[in-house]
Amino acid sequence: MVFLTSLLIFFITLVIWWGLQDGRRCRLFPPGPPRIPFLGSILSIAFKSNVPAIALAKLAKIYGDVMYIKMGMLDGVIFSSHQAAKEIFNEERANDRVVSGFVSTRNLNKNVGLVWSNREVWQTLRRFTIRTLRDFGFGKTSSMDVVINEEISKFLAHFKKILARSETNTFIMTKELFEMTTTNVLWRLVTGISYDLDDSRMENVIRLSNEFLLSATNGGDISITFPFLRDWFPEWTERNRQTKCSTDLRDFVQKLVKEHRNSHFDTSNPQSFIDVFLAKIDLNQNDLIFNEQLIYTLLDLFQAGSDTNSNTLAFLLLYLVMHPHVQDKVHKEIDAVIPKGSDVTAELKSRVPYCTATMLETFRYASLVSLTPYREAVQDFQFRNYVIKKGTAIMINIQGMHFDEEVWGDPQVFRPERFLIKTEAGFNTIDKEKANLVMAFGGGRRVCLGQNLSETTVLMYFIAMLRNFRFELVHGGVTPSLLPHLGLVYAPKPFEVKVIQRE
Ligand code: HEM
C-alpha cells in the first residue's frame, strides 16, 4: 500500500513537473490543444476525426489559424487560413523541408532530388529542372497540346477496348485507369519515352510508387512522430515496405538512365531532360549536378506526377457520377463549344468556364495532398506575436482551407458554380479571386512544379472523356463512397460505373 501511494505521488509530481516545464517551454508559442507527456496532443486530434487534416482544421477553429501542435516527438505549427498561409509562404526561414522518417528512408538520409531537398541543392535543381523542361515543351501550351493529344488518342482506343469486354458496359473504375496514360504525358516530356498502356514493367513501377505513397499518412505519420519506433518495429511502422519500394524504384530509374546513356545519348543533340542532365554531369559544370541527383530528380518527378493527375481524373469521374446534373451541364458546354472531330486544346480553357469550374471544384473537393509536405523552421523567428522555434515543422492545411465554411459557405457540397461569375455581357466566366483560394498545389517558393502541366492534362483528358462518354451509377449497384483512401496522396476507392458512348 505504501509502495503504491509513493508511486502515485511520484507519478503526480512527475506530471506536474512536466506540465510546468511544458508551459514554460511553450509560453511564446502559438496556442494549441492540451498536451500530455509522451503523446502530446495526439488524443485531441484522434477524438476530432480519423482524417488528420480534418481533425487539425476542427482544432484550428478553437485555437486559431496559427496553432502549435505536439505530436509525439514532433513540434509543429499548423497554418489553417489563406491569410496565414500567405504570410508563411513569404517567410524565407520556413522554406526547407523536414527530412525524417519515411523521407529519410527513401532518400537514404541525403540532401537529394526536388521534393525533399534543401538549400543550394534544391535551388540549383529546381531552377535547372524548370528551365530544361521548358525547353522540351513543358509549360508551353502548343507543345504540351501535341503530346497530350497523342496520349489521349492512345488512351481512348485502349478504354474502348476495355469497354468492349463488358457486355453491360459497366466496369470497376479505379485510379489505375489513368495512371499509365498520364504518366506517359509527363514521362515523354522528361525522358522522351511513351510506354504501351499495358506495359507490365511500367505497371509494376507505378504500383510500387502507389504502395509507397499509401504507406505513409499525411499529418502525424508515425515515422515522423515517433521515429525510434521505426528501428524497433520496422514491419508495423511500414519501414520495411518503404525500404523495398524505394530500392526497387531507384533500381528502375538507375536502369533507365543507364539505358539512356547507352542508346540515345548524344551530348551535342540532347533529346530530353535526361540528356541535358547527363551532358551537364559529363561537363561537370556544377558540382551539385551529379548522377545521384539525376536519379532522385527523376524519381521525384515520377512520384509527384504519376499518381496525382490520375487520381484527380478518377475523383472527377466519381463526382460526375454522383452529380449527374453537373455532368449534364458539362456535356452541354462541350457540345456547344467544341466542334465534332476537332482536337481538344489547352487554348480552349477560356471558352469552357463550366468545365474549368468543375476541375477547380474537383481540386478543392478531393484535396489530394491534404497538408503540404512539411517544411521546417531553419532558425527561431517571430510570426505575428508568437515565436516559432528552429526545427518546428510547418504544415499548411490545404484540406482544412478547402472545407472552411467561412470561406466557402457550403464546402461539403460539390458545386462548380461557386467558381463562376457573370460578365457584363451575361456570359459565365471564372471568378479569379475564388479560383485563387484553391490551394491544391501549395504555394510560395516551394509551390508544385507541375501545376501548369497538371491543370492542362486534367482539363484536356476530362473534356476528351466527357465528349465521348456519359458515366452513370449502375442501377441496383453499391453507392460509391466519396471518402478517399488516405495516404500521402489521397486516392478514390474503386467504384462501379456504367459507361454510355455518346453519338
Ligand atoms: C493534381 C496534381 C498535383 C497536385 C494536387 C500536386 C500538389 C503538390 C503540392 C501540394 C506540393 C507541395 C507544395 C508546397 O509545399 O507548397 C507539390 C510539390 C511538388 N510537385 Fe506537385 N502536384 C500535382 C502534380 C504534379 C506533377 C504532374 C508534377 C511533375 C512535374 C509535380 C511535381 C512536384 C514537385 C517536383 C514538387 C516539389 C516542389 C518543391 O519542393 O520545390 N506535381 N505538389
Side-chain angles (χ1 to χ4, degrees):
M1 188 65 190
V2 174
F3 174 72
L4 280 182
T5 313
S6 314
L7 200 67
L8 192 66
I9 291 172
F10 173 74
F11 184 70
I12 292 171
T13 315
L14 200 68
V15 171
I16 293 173
W17 175 83
W18 184 90
L20 289 173
Q21 290 293 319
D22 182 63
R24 201 167 303 139
R25 191 178 71 92
C26 305
R27 201 165 41 90
L28 298 172
F29 291 6
R35 297 168 287 278
I36 56 170
F38 189 62
L39 290 179
S41 306
I42 285 181
L43 294 180
S44 308
I45 300 172
F47 282 128
K48 288 285 177 201
S49 167
N50 60 353
V51 180
I54 295 294
L56 292 169
K58 287 184 179 168
L59 288 170
K61 287 287 165 207
I62 305 170
Y63 298 100
D65 62 346
V66 182
M67 173 176 72
Y68 170 65
I69 205 109
K70 177 97 180 150
M71 288 187 267
M73 298 169 76
L74 181 82
D75 287 295
V77 173
I78 318 288
F79 295 79
S80 306
S81 70
H82 290 87
Q83 180 55 36
K86 212 159 106 192
E87 287 171 46
I88 197 67
F89 284 147
N90 285 329
E91 176 50 73
E92 275 302 310
R93 290 162 290 188
N95 266 332
D96 274 17
R97 296 271 189 224
V98 172
V99 181
S100 67
F102 65 89
V103 180
S104 309
T105 304
R106 180 186 182 272
N107 286 14
L108 301 173
N109 271 322
K110 296 180 194 162
N111 187 17
V112 283
L114 283 169
V115 182
W116 282 296
S117 61
N118 290 321
R119 315 287 171 87
E120 299 91 298
V121 169
W122 166 72
Q123 267 169 10
T124 309
L125 286 177
R126 188 171 165 116
R127 216 176 297 132
F128 173 80
T129 303
I130 290 174
R131 205 179 42 230
T132 312
L133 285 177
R134 202 177 290 141
D135 290 344
F136 288 104
F138 195 96
K140 284 185 197 153
T141 310
S142 52
S143 335
M144 284 200 312
D145 271 3
V146 175
V147 170
I148 297 173
N149 262 316
E150 281 175 16
E151 292 303 328
I152 285 179
S153 302
K154 249 168 78 177
F155 170 73
L156 287 176
H158 173 78
F159 185 58
K160 283 177 186 160
K161 264 196 236 157
I162 297 179
L163 282 185
R165 280 187 228 132
S166 159
E167 282 175 14
T168 53
N169 268 4
T170 59
F171 80 110
I172 304 291
M173 166 71 83
T174 63
K175 68 197 198 65
E176 280 83 14
L177 178 68
F178 296 104
E179 271 173 351
M180 197 69 150
T181 182
T182 51
T183 303
N184 264 347
V185 170
L186 172 71
W187 226 223
R188 267 182 68 170
L189 295 166
V190 174
T191 66
I193 303 172
S194 170
Y195 291 88
D196 277 346
L197 295 182
D198 40 22
D199 184 295
S200 56
R201 181 169 92 144
M202 198 56 173
E203 261 171 19
N204 187 39
V205 177
I206 293 176
R207 190 188 52 73
L208 284 170
S209 176
N210 283 341
E211 213 178 312
F212 181 88
L213 294 174
L214 287 171
S215 72
T217 321
N218 204 348
D221 188 77
I222 196 155
S223 71
I224 293 179
T225 48
F226 296 105
F228 62 92
L229 291 179
R230 275 171 91 68
D231 295 331
W232 296 357
F233 308 106
E235 196 63 35
W236 175 64
T237 56
E238 300 280 12
R239 182 184 180 149
N240 285 348
R241 187 141 72 114
Q242 287 162 359
T243 307
K244 162 100 180 61
C245 291
S246 309
T247 312
D248 290 355
L249 283 168
R250 238 182 351 255
D251 283 353
F252 158 72
V253 177
Q254 256 155 357
K255 240 182 243 155
L256 180 84
V257 170
K258 211 166 167 187
E259 281 168 12
H260 220 82
R261 203 179 247 294
N262 293 340
S263 60
H264 313 267
F265 186 49
D266 172 6
T267 330
S268 59
N269 183 22
Q271 297 293 316
S272 69
F273 175 77
I274 298 191
D275 287 356
V276 181
F277 211 120
L278 285 171
K280 261 251 178 333
I281 294 171
D282 287 356
L283 283 173
N284 199 13
Q285 278 181 342
N286 184 329
D287 57 9
L288 294 174
I289 302 256
F290 51 91
N291 206 46
E292 196 170 32
Q293 293 295 8
L294 170 59
I295 304 293
Y296 277 95
T297 301
L298 290 173
L299 208 52
D300 279 354
L301 288 172
F302 181 80
Q303 284 206 276
S306 63
D307 244 22
T308 41
N309 285 340
S310 57
N311 292 9
T312 305
L313 283 163
F315 272 122
L316 177 52
L317 290 192
L318 169 65
Y319 303 151
L320 291 183
V321 166
M322 298 299 282
H323 303 91
H325 62 286
V326 173
Q327 197 172 162
D328 290 343
K329 291 185 190 172
V330 165
H331 278 140
K332 203 168 152 204
E333 185 174 80
I334 292 176
D335 292 347
V337 172
I338 309 170
K340 278 208 169 82
S342 62
D343 269 353
V344 175
T345 58
E347 163 279 324
L348 274 174
K349 199 168 170 181
S350 57
R351 291 195 283 135
V352 284
Y354 194 82
C355 291
T356 309
T358 307
M359 177 181 74
L360 285 169
E361 182 68 340
T362 301
F363 283 138
R364 181 191 75 81
Y365 207 86
S367 293
L368 218 65
V369 182
S370 55
L371 295 149
T372 52
Y374 301 170
R375 297 159 192 221
E376 184 172 53
V378 290
Q379 46 180 270
D380 293 1
F381 64 87
Q382 172 132 7
F383 187 90
R384 298 185 181 165
N385 293 325
Y386 314 120
V387 169
I388 295 184
K389 294 291 268 185
K390 180 178 175 188
T392 303
I394 308 284
M395 306 175 215
I396 292 111
N397 192 347
I398 295 179
Q399 190 177 12
M401 286 189 259
H402 284 169
F403 282 83
D404 187 342
E405 276 178 19
E406 283 169 35
V407 176
W408 305 98
D410 54 356
Q412 300 298 340
V413 182
F414 184 83
R415 195 169 61 81
E417 288 77 4
R418 68 177 80 250
F419 291 105
L420 294 174
I421 42 170
K422 282 246 182 288
T423 60
E424 278 175 15
F427 297 116
N428 275 335
T429 184
I430 293 292
D431 179 344
K432 292 223 169 77
E433 244 174 70
K434 260 277 151 63
N436 284 340
L437 296 176
V438 176
M439 303 291 293
F441 296 94
R445 291 184 67 204
R446 296 216 70 141
V447 68
C448 173
L449 193 144
Q451 178 167 3
N452 194 341
L453 176 71
S454 277
E455 287 175 349
T456 310
T457 308
V458 169
L459 189 71
M460 285 175 68
Y461 271 80
F462 163 35
I463 294 176
M465 284 293 271
L466 269 288
R467 189 186 195 193
N468 284 284
F469 306 104
R470 180 168 183 88
F471 299 88
E472 290 182 356
L473 281 178
V474 175
H475 191 64
V478 181
T479 309
S481 166
L482 288 173
L483 296 176
H485 267 304
L486 303 181
L488 287 181
V489 176
Y490 288 173
K493 293 179 179 153
F495 57 99
E496 202 178 10
V497 64
K498 185 173 173 69
V499 185
I500 297 153
Q501 172 109 36
R502 302 182 74 225
E503 291 309 315

